[in-house]
Amino acid sequence: MAIQIQIRRGLSSAWTSADPVLAEGELAVETDTLKFKVGNGSTNWNILPYASGQTGSQGPTGPTGATGKFGMNPVFSRQGSLVATQGTQRFYIERAGTVSTVRVSVGTPSSGSAIIVDVRINEASMLNAPIVLQPGEYTKLGSISKVSVLPNDYVTVNIDGVGSVTAGANLTVTLVIE
C-alpha cells in the first residue's frame, strides 16, 4: 500500500495574509517562490525564518510556466517596520542565468501612501520602473525585461517609500533565475 504525504502549500501572499502558526516540525511551501518554512509550534509565519539550503529542481515547467530548472533563487528579506534605505545590504548571485521575475511582498502593508522598491543589479536598476505596492497591497510582480546575471553579480534593494500613516513591515524580494 502506497503512503502519500502532503505538505501544506499556498501562494506567498496567502501565507503572509493568513500568518498561521505551523505545528512543530510542520513543513509549508510557497508554491510561487518554492521557499519553505518549518514550524516550531509557537511562531507566526511572518516572523518564522525560511529554511535554508538548496532547493531541488522543478519541472519540466516551473511556477511561472517557464521551462527550466528552479532553485537557489536569491531572496532579500528585511524584518520589522520599513525605513527608507538605499542599497545598504547586498546579496550575491550564485549561478549564471536570466532573471525572469522579481516579486516584492510584505507581511504588513502600508497605509497612507505606497511602498516603493527598486531592485538593482551591480548598481543599475533591473526593473522597467520601481515596484509600487499601494496601501493595503501585500505583493506585486515587477515589470522587467529579462536580465542576464553571472555568479558574484550583486543585488541591492532601494526602499524609496514606506507608507505615510503606517509603514509597511517584513519585506521580502524574490528573484526567479532561469
Side-chain angles (χ1 to χ4, degrees), residues 110-132:
S110 67
S111 65
S113 63
I115 296 169
I116 303 170
V117 177
D118 187 21
V119 182
R120 304 174 73 77
I121 185 86
N122 300 330
E123 304 298 334
S125 182
M126 69 171 61
L127 302 169
N128 294 330
I131 298 173
V132 178

Side-chain angles (χ1 to χ4, degrees), residues 90-166:
R90 290 182 179 189
F91 61 97
Y92 289 87
I93 303 297
E94 297 293 324
R95 63 182 172 88
T98 303
V99 179
S100 62
T101 305
V102 177
R103 174 183 293 279
V104 171
S105 302
V106 291
T108 303
S110 67
S111 65
S113 63
I115 296 169
I116 303 170
V117 177
D118 187 21
V119 182
R120 304 174 73 77
I121 185 86
N122 300 330
E123 304 298 334
S125 182
M126 69 171 61
L127 302 169
N128 294 330
I131 298 173
V132 178
L133 287 173
Q134 295 298 334
E137 284 188 310
Y138 285 90
T139 190
K140 186 173 277 184
L141 293 175
S143 173
I144 183 174
S145 300
K146 293 189 176 193
V147 175
S148 295
V149 292
L150 297 170
N152 297 319
D153 281 350
Y154 64 92
V155 177
T156 56
V157 175
N158 289 356
I159 303 170
D160 298 321
V162 299
S164 58
V165 175
T166 304

Side-chain angles (χ1 to χ4, degrees), residues 8 14-29 37-49:
R8 283 179 68 179
W15 285 113
T16 299
S17 178
D19 195 23
V21 173
L22 301 178
E24 186 173 351
E26 180 182 13
L27 293 174
V29 176
K37 296 184 179 189
V38 179
N40 62 11
S42 62
T43 304
N44 287 74
W45 177 269
N46 292 333
I47 298 171
L48 193 66

